[in-house]
Amino acid sequence: MHNFAISASGLRMSFGDRTVLDGVDLEVPSGTVFALLGAEGSGKTTVIRILSGVTGADEGLVRITGEHVGRRSPLDDSLTGEDNLLAVARRRGLDHAEAARCAADLLGRLGLTEVSGMASGIPVAAYSGGMRHRLGIATALVGSPEVVLLDEPTGGLDPSGRRAVRRVLRDLAAEGVTVFLTTRHPRDAGELADRVAVLSQGRIVAEGTPRELGRLASCGHAHLRFADAEELEWAVRVLGGVPGDDEAFTLRVPNDGSVGSLRALLDRIDHQLLAVDGLSIHAPDPDDVFLTLTARPVTG
């Protein structure tokens, strides 16, 4: 029996005559980082609001192991970042010493102790947008939760902030915490998540590891180089693909990078007695994978 930290089935949600979610099913194994990837307006935030209990779905069931942590307490602009975290810690049952240790740890891990003149000691009203975003993530992590729900955790952050958040998420995964995050950035999903579900037009159109999605999209390629135009012309006839326009006598042939796909390509090259001067396999670009998967018609 599978051990799922998050399980959702048949989630449907409409606002007026607009269908936002149209039968979303999700199963997130415990101790993994799971990314829900979708464009603006695809329904990502609605999913995470349902999972966290902020809003109810029109239809569907949700089961969460452990605490619902997606509902964050509003930040108090008159308090410092440290005092905000201490207040959340007390509401979650930590004693004074535990709360102080937790606040100090989270402020440090998210790079808020030495930013803009000791950010932890100035009122939140003086925080930049990126600093507020990182402090909001910190509040979700108070109390060592089993499950963490994060909506666009790297959105709007500068490179330093993005690195800090990624480091924290990797640490959480190493500690066995289940992390569910939404993002509109394919590269973030590919770099952060063990598994990725692609949401388009209110439905899950693909799910798998980043490598599996790349294979499913079939938008990787083999880059072949030939000695002359005659050999390239013959290769185009027997292999297909697209001649390169940035380099003489090169050919791009679709290839998902799997062992089977590569073996089949080499067999065809050998069978046709093609003289290949160079061959390299290029993994699918995360942006290309996302665009390919979401461009497919949504059926059902």
Side-chain angles (χ1 to χ4, degrees), residues 197-232:
V198 181
L199 185 66
S200 179
Q201 301 177 48
R203 297 187 184 182
I204 302 295
V205 297
E207 183 183 332
T209 66
R211 182 184 292 271
E212 288 169 345
L213 292 184
R215 292 175 181 170
L216 180 63
S218 299
C219 55
H221 70 276
H223 188 84
L224 307 176
R225 188 175 67 255
F226 299 92
D228 53 45
E230 183 178 357
E231 196 72 17
L232 172 62

Side-chain angles (χ1 to χ4, degrees), residues 15-269:
F15 296 110
D17 59 358
R18 185 170 71 93
T19 299
V20 178
L21 300 179
D22 190 13
V24 170
D25 299 320
L26 293 167
E27 289 184 327
V28 181
S30 297
T32 62
V33 179
F34 190 101
L36 183 62
L37 173 64
E40 185 72 23
S42 62
K44 304 185 304 299
T45 296
T46 301
V47 169
I48 209 165
R49 286 174 62 85
I50 292 171
L51 294 182
S52 63
V54 173
T55 189
D58 295 335
E59 297 179 29
L61 297 173
V62 174
R63 291 186 295 274
I64 305 287
T65 299
E67 183 184 4
H68 289 272
V69 297
R71 189 197 300 267
R72 300 180 195 157
S73 302
L75 297 176
D76 187 332
D77 284 357
S78 67
L79 298 178
T80 66
E82 182 178 20
D83 286 341
N84 267 280
L85 292 182
L86 290 173
V88 173
R90 287 193 293 271
R91 285 196 294 271
R92 293 185 180 170
L94 277 66
D95 63 30
H96 181 76
E98 291 173 327
R101 282 195 297 270
C102 178
D105 175 61
L106 289 172
L107 290 168
R109 292 169 73 182
L110 284 159
L112 288 169
T113 54
E114 297 179 0
V115 179
S116 186
M118 292 297 290
S120 61
I122 62 176
V124 170
Y127 276 29
S128 67
M131 290 161 62
R132 290 180 65 94
H133 189 73
R134 278 185 272 172
L135 183 60
I137 293 173
T139 64
L141 303 181
V142 170
S144 300
E146 296 178 47
V147 177
V148 173
L149 308 175
L150 298 172
D151 192 16
E152 297 275 3
T154 61
L157 298 180
D158 60 19
S160 175
R162 291 168 74 89
R163 284 194 297 270
V165 169
R166 287 176 175 175
R167 186 164 53 247
V168 168
L169 295 183
R170 284 194 294 268
D171 290 346
L172 288 171
E175 295 165 5
V177 176
T178 303
V179 179
F180 182 96
L181 63 94
T182 68
T183 182
R184 73 190 74 175
H185 302 294
R187 291 185 184 277
D188 279 356
E191 292 176 10
L192 290 172
D194 302 303
R195 293 187 65 81
V196 180
V198 181
L199 185 66
S200 179
Q201 301 177 48
R203 297 187 184 182
I204 302 295
V205 297
E207 183 183 332
T209 66
R211 182 184 292 271
E212 288 169 345
L213 292 184
R215 292 175 181 170
L216 180 63
S218 299
C219 55
H221 70 276
H223 188 84
L224 307 176
R225 188 175 67 255
F226 299 92
D228 53 45
E230 183 178 357
E231 196 72 17
L232 172 62
E233 182 180 353
W234 177 242
V236 172
R237 290 182 182 180
V238 299
L239 299 179
V242 179
D245 55 10
D246 59 338
E247 189 178 344
F249 314 137
T250 63
L251 180 67
R252 288 167 54 104
V253 179
N255 189 281
D256 63 16
S258 67
V259 172
S261 179
L262 179 58
R263 182 183 294 116
L265 176 61
L266 294 175
D267 287 345
R268 291 165 65 195
I269 291 172

